[in-house]
Amino acid sequence: MNIIVPIKQVTDLVEELEVDASGKDLNREWLKYKINEFDDHALEEALCLKEESGANVMAIALDSADIEKSLYTAAAKGADKLIKVTGDFGEAIPSHVAAKALANVLESLEYDLILTGVQAADDRDGQVAVLLAHYLGLPHVSVVTGVNLQDGKAIVHKEYSGGLMGEFEVDLPGVLGIQAARQTPRYAPVSRVRQAMRSTELEEMPAGDVSVAVGTTVQRMFKPETSDGAQMIEGSAEDVANQILNILSERGLKQ
Amino acid sequence: MSQDVFVIAEHLMGNLEDVTFELLGKGRELADNLDGSLVGVLLGGGVEDLNRQMGKADKVICIDHEQIAEFNPDSYSKCLMEVLKTHEPKVTLVPNTSMGMDLAAALSVDLDLPLVAYAVDASAKNGTIAVTSQLYGGKMNVESRLEGDRCIISVIAGSFSSEDGKSDNVPEVEEVSPPDSLTDLKIRFKRLIEPEAGDVDITQQDILVSVGRGIQSEDNLPVLQKLADALGGVLSASRPIVDNKWLPKTRQVGKSGLKVKPKLYLAVGISGAPEHIEGMKDAELIIAVNSDPNAPIFDYAHYGVVGDLFDVVGQLSEKLKG
Ligand SMILES: Cc1cc2nc3c(=O)[nH]c(=O)nc-3n(C[C@H](O)[C@H](O)[C@H](O)COP(=O)(O)OP(=O)(O)OC[C@H]3O[C@@H](n4cnc5c(N)ncnc54)[C@H](O)[C@@H]3O)c2cc1C
């Protein structure tokens, strides 16, 4: 069983985000990047499947700022192989371009299952999992929270709303957009990441022709208006608590 | 190509989801501005009743067949492909839901049409389609403009009024048979799994103290439980808390959790990602405590506190006790 896990980095959303001079993209000068949390779940699920029934796990990512750290972290957690896809992507890579680049590289690889995050915070033109599946002509299910391998097929749980789930049987190879792994993604200490940098080979493969038409252009990026946003309560924690309790009293919400 | 706007209807357990009406309402506006028709597309088995509810559309194209009675990413994308290939609408609106996510990007590749995802608004002025998407966990909006003639837009549930999409009219229905390609499916639907009943039903509570990743550790839950008790409410949570198994799934608020409308929603350490907002934005009173002054939750809260949640929670519990 060969499992491929495409991962990518997104800006750390706890950071303050600013628009750049063009007015169309983030000011990336001081941005901190981290692995897309849903890709981290996809990697975790792949590693769980490996531990359960044996598999080769390969993490793959498009070249971007600091991506090697995320790839070596994947190796430190248990990925067997790493691939960096090289090409002239720029900083904000549209999902269609990313999916096409991954599809090009995957054509020369052997795999049974592709697990990647269900979405990322900057997928303006759609989710990579589904795009990738259709460039490769493979079946896909997104918003997956449980994966079981049985007789060369994957039995998966797809979440709807309110805790309702659909169960599907998917022929392999297939692509699954992972929402949550069966357990909290493991953590790799820095020492193990350093060790992985020394012991794991990072193979580079060219993206090939990624000239797909995205078909839309960004006109502007802006912070959501906060005109009807919250009235802020200020003061010491004690003041704040008093004010909140007053608001609750006024509305008859205090027992 | 036509100037028509197509809306892909979503239904679950025999009911049209609210988002279908939201898209019909928005679709009506777009179709009127484009001088096109509004067409609903409904896939399912035994869905005549649902057709009739889509009177906001000029027409409903329906594939009603037992083979597609249940959602399946493979069969549904194949059916939609045929419909969209035949009619070539200008704009196709798809809900950015669990089901819609399996369809929108698939159609984009197979029909070679641009896709704009996470839309919270869309307009058609002088024939130009502009779409606003909510990205970066709700921290940034991005406005895109369509370059070519046609596109697919996947829309975040809750972006438009569902009332605007309801009508007593009965739409014309065009029944279409399922495509031959359905004989060769790579995915099979097995069953629906209903959630286990929880100890409390958070949709029925007046007061929810809702906790997010900002609480940092399971060990901090008792402090928050104490506050919930003192307020006469219960704890609910954002998704990561449930994924970590700190609270059961029945406590999850949001897109894949439950929709709640309590009298008080006290959000502590929750950033306000669009998937969370979907589940709580209609609460009567929302108070948010977050250390990040730019947290998107403050765009939806009525009152906000920038600060450490533990300080505020501690003081609140203390005062309620006294
Ligand atoms: C298909 C799909 C469905 C989803 N469904 C849901 C859903 O139903 N419900 C849901 O909630 N999410 C859902 N999500 C996940 C969603 O995208 C977010 O990842 C999630 O809502 C984030 O949860 P959070 O706000 O607790 O965590 P974070 O976004 O990490 O936010 C934590 C917040 O805590 C603040 N904080 C940290 N420390 C403190 C402190 N000491 N005091 C005060 N504040 C502090 C931080 O500033 C931050 O804003 C879904 C995602 C997908 C892809």
Side-chain angles (χ1 to χ4, degrees):
Chain A
M1 170 72 55
N2 289 316
I3 306 177
I4 295 189
V5 184
I7 62 174
K8 71 177 244 183
Q9 302 206 110
V10 292
T11 53
D12 189 343
L13 296 179
V14 175
E15 300 285 310
E16 183 167 358
L17 303 183
E18 294 293 343
V19 180
D20 73 2
S22 77
K24 296 180 180 181
D25 192 15
L26 293 177
N27 178 354
R28 294 176 182 269
E29 197 174 351
W30 304 105
L31 283 186
K32 268 201 240 153
Y33 291 90
K34 56 186 234 184
I35 184 171
N36 169 23
E37 67 171 302
F38 304 110
D39 291 347
D40 205 21
H41 277 274
L43 177 65
E44 181 61 35
E45 191 62 24
L47 296 173
C48 290
L49 288 169
K50 172 180 169 177
E51 286 157 3
E52 201 173 65
S53 46
N56 238 300
V57 175
M58 185 166 84
I60 182 169
L62 268 58
D63 197 3
S64 60
D66 238 10
I67 191 65
E68 295 192 0
K69 199 172 117 213
S70 284
L71 282 169
Y72 284 120
T73 304
K77 291 179 175 185
D80 305 286
K81 224 181 148 209
L82 306 177
I83 292 184
K84 183 168 87 174
V85 181
T86 55
D88 193 8
F89 304 117
E91 299 217 71
I93 309 173
S95 301
H96 282 71
V97 173
K100 188 73 174 110
L102 290 167
N104 288 346
V105 169
L106 287 178
E107 281 191 351
S108 65
L109 299 173
E110 270 182 41
Y111 56 87
D112 305 285
L113 185 60
I114 300 171
L115 302 183
T116 190
V118 58
Q119 70 179 44
D122 57 357
D123 288 337
R124 183 182 66 95
D125 60 322
Q127 297 86 20
V128 169
V130 181
L131 295 169
L132 174 61
H134 276 254
Y135 281 129
L136 291 170
L138 297 178
H140 59 87
V141 182
S142 343
V143 201
V144 167
T145 53
V147 183
N148 262 299
L149 299 175
Q150 266 172 32
D151 311 324
K153 298 190 167 41
I155 308 293
V156 307
H157 288 169
K158 172 182 177 70
E159 270 195 27
Y160 297 131
S161 54
L164 189 70
M165 288 187 294
E167 186 176 89
F168 297 92
E169 182 186 78
V170 186
D171 289 350
L172 300 183
V175 183
L176 303 177
I178 300 292
Q179 159 85 67
R182 62 186 78 175
Q183 63 184 32
T184 307
R186 64 198 67 190
Y187 172 77
V190 181
S191 59
R192 209 134 23 99
V193 178
R194 284 218 193 90
Q195 199 188 333
M197 288 172 84
R198 287 191 297 269
S199 60
T200 318
E201 190 200 341
L202 190 148
E203 193 181 336
E204 294 195 7
M205 292 178 78
D209 181 6
V210 292
S211 50
V212 283
V214 174
T216 59
T217 46
V218 172
Q219 296 301 302
R220 63 182 182 122
M221 178 183 274
F222 56 101
K223 293 189 181 180
E225 287 99 63
T226 50
S227 55
D228 54 351
Q231 182 178 330
M232 301 313 282
I233 304 174
E234 284 159 15
S236 67
E238 186 174 4
D239 287 345
V240 165
N242 279 328
Q243 292 180 62
I244 291 177
L245 292 177
N246 280 340
I247 295 166
L248 300 187
S249 289
E250 278 166 21
R251 298 187 175 227
L253 288 169
K254 220 177 111 195
Q255 291 183 325
Chain B
M1 191 196 88
S2 71
Q3 294 297 310
D4 296 347
V5 176
F6 275 39
V7 166
I8 310 304
E10 181 166 316
H11 56 94
L12 193 58
M13 315 274 280
N15 292 309
L16 285 173
E17 298 275 294
D18 272 352
V19 68
T20 302
F21 296 106
E22 293 165 19
L23 296 192
L24 285 171
K26 189 67 194 182
R28 182 78 267 166
E29 175 199 314
L30 294 176
D32 291 349
N33 286 343
L34 290 165
D35 281 330
S37 308
L38 176 65
V39 178
V41 183
L42 183 71
L43 309 180
V47 287
E48 312 82 51
D49 284 355
L50 302 185
N51 275 329
R52 240 169 274 139
Q53 296 170 33
M54 294 169 57
K56 201 74 185 183
D58 301 302
K59 184 170 90 174
V60 175
I61 295 177
C62 180
I63 307 184
D64 194 340
H65 196 279
E66 60 181 15
Q67 240 184 321
I68 51 166
E70 296 290 346
F71 176 81
N72 173 336
D74 199 359
S75 60
Y76 273 49
S77 38
K78 286 193 167 113
C79 288
L80 290 176
M81 253 243 307
E82 289 306 317
V83 172
L84 297 184
K85 239 201 279 183
T86 310
H87 296 272
E88 301 197 333
K90 182 164 182 76
V91 177
T92 303
L93 299 176
V94 184
N96 193 72
T97 51
S98 179
M99 295 182 192
M101 281 165 96
D102 267 318
L103 302 173
L107 295 169
S108 168
V109 172
D110 292 355
L111 297 169
D112 200 11
L113 290 177
L115 165 63
V116 185
Y118 311 99
V120 291
D121 203 2
S123 66
K125 283 198 192 95
N126 309 323
T128 305
I129 308 290
V131 182
T132 304
S133 305
Q134 194 170 44
L135 300 178
Y136 300 101
K139 282 198 157 179
M140 283 291 174
N141 283 355
V142 172
E143 192 183 299
S144 306
R145 193 192 299 156
L146 177 65
E147 287 166 352
D149 291 328
R150 303 174 51 203
C151 68
I152 300 169
I153 304 173
S154 76
V155 182
I156 294 179
S159 300
F160 309 117
S161 145
S162 58
E163 289 311 310
D164 290 351
K166 292 180 181 160
S167 159
D168 294 333
N169 294 347
V170 177
E172 175 199 336
V173 177
E174 180 186 330
E175 293 263 1
V176 178
S177 37
D180 296 339
S181 51
L182 290 196
T183 49
D184 178 30
L185 293 182
K186 291 176 175 160
I187 299 178
R188 283 154 301 277
F189 169 81
K190 304 299 271 188
R191 61 185 174 130
L192 273 182
I193 304 170
E194 304 223 24
E196 283 168 34
D199 49 344
V200 288
D201 180 355
I202 57 170
T203 66
Q204 299 300 317
Q205 302 293 322
D206 283 342
I207 295 183
L208 291 175
V209 174
S210 209
V211 299
R213 191 139 52 183
I215 69 165
Q216 283 144 29
S217 148
E218 188 174 11
D219 300 340
N220 293 325
L221 270 180
V223 182
L224 292 138
Q225 182 65 56
K226 216 170 84 187
L227 175 61
D229 291 343
L231 283 167
V234 304
L235 286 183
S236 58
S238 68
R239 168 145 208 149
I241 302 298
V242 172
D243 282 343
N244 285 339
K245 306 191 170 63
W246 297 351
L247 283 173
K249 185 83 189 170
T250 46
R251 302 289 183 111
Q252 184 185 318
V253 173
K255 177 184 180 118
S256 47
L258 293 159
K259 235 183 229 156
V260 298
K261 283 186 194 173
K263 292 198 170 114
L264 168 63
Y265 190 82
L266 180 60
V268 293
I270 292 178
S271 63
E275 295 85 4
H276 187 80
I277 300 296
E278 259 184 50
M280 45 61 75
K281 69 173 180 338
D282 296 328
E284 284 175 36
L285 175 64
I286 301 169
I287 303 181
V289 185
N290 196 305
S291 48
D292 174 5
N294 296 307
I297 189 84
F298 292 130
D299 298 340
Y300 299 88
H302 303 97
Y303 294 94
V305 180
V306 176
D308 185 83
L309 70 93
F310 297 106
D311 293 346
V312 177
V313 165
Q315 283 289 336
L316 275 174
S317 295
E318 194 63 29
K319 295 198 180 295
L320 283 163
K321 208 171 60 188

